[in-house]
Amino acid sequence: VKLSMKYDWISECLEFQVQDSGMGMTPSQVNQIFMLKEGKSRIERNKFRGADETRECVGISGMGLHISKLITNEMGGSLSIESYLNVGTRVIFSVSINPQKEIVQEE
């Protein structure tokens, strides 16, 4: 796993990249990762196996990334995924250090 960070002084954004050399995902799987339907990811439960192929994922795949995307969007940032099957995945997210909009909590 490789972690990198950079700061853009002009846009005042902090960008993080987390990259692995795991099993990766197909473009179809990447497109579905942030979609939620009836409270769970459209990606089938237990579809992905761990790198050692002995453990299956338990629970809901993609929920944490969906929540992370919502949070980064509210902070004026973004979250995206690049992945290639049998090569690995890179998650890129950025946040504004000096947000232009105020986040209002609804009651």
Side-chain angles (χ1 to χ4, degrees):
V1 175
K2 178 182 174 185
L3 171 66
S4 63
M5 179 189 74
K6 69 179 179 179
Y7 181 72
D8 185 328
W9 291 95
I10 295 170
S11 65
E12 296 182 320
C13 282
L14 189 58
E15 180 183 278
F16 297 88
Q17 292 190 22
V18 181
Q19 184 171 347
D20 71 23
S21 57
M23 62 188 280
M25 294 179 279
T26 66
S28 175
Q29 291 168 327
V30 171
N31 289 335
Q32 293 179 25
I33 205 86
F34 296 115
M35 297 179 192
L36 291 181
K37 180 178 180 183
E38 298 175 5
K40 64 181 179 179
S41 173
R42 288 185 185 176
I43 296 175
E44 298 171 20
R45 290 177 59 150
N46 301 325
K47 186 170 186 177
F48 299 114
R49 295 182 181 272
D52 61 3
E53 295 294 324
T54 60
R55 293 181 305 156
E56 289 189 355
C57 292
V58 177
I60 301 168
S61 299
M63 186 69 142
L65 284 171
H66 178 77
I67 292 168
S68 298
K69 186 173 179 81
L70 293 175
I71 291 170
T72 55
N73 288 347
E74 283 297 317
M75 294 177 68
S78 64
L79 189 145
S80 61
I81 297 176
E82 298 173 358
S83 189
Y84 301 95
L85 194 58
N86 299 318
V87 175
T89 301
R90 177 177 17 211
V91 177
I92 305 162
F93 68 97
S94 65
V95 291
S96 177
I97 300 302
N98 188 8
Q100 299 298 315
K101 70 176 189 174
E102 183 179 328
I103 299 172
V104 178
Q105 182 177 4
E106 296 180 22
E107 294 183 24

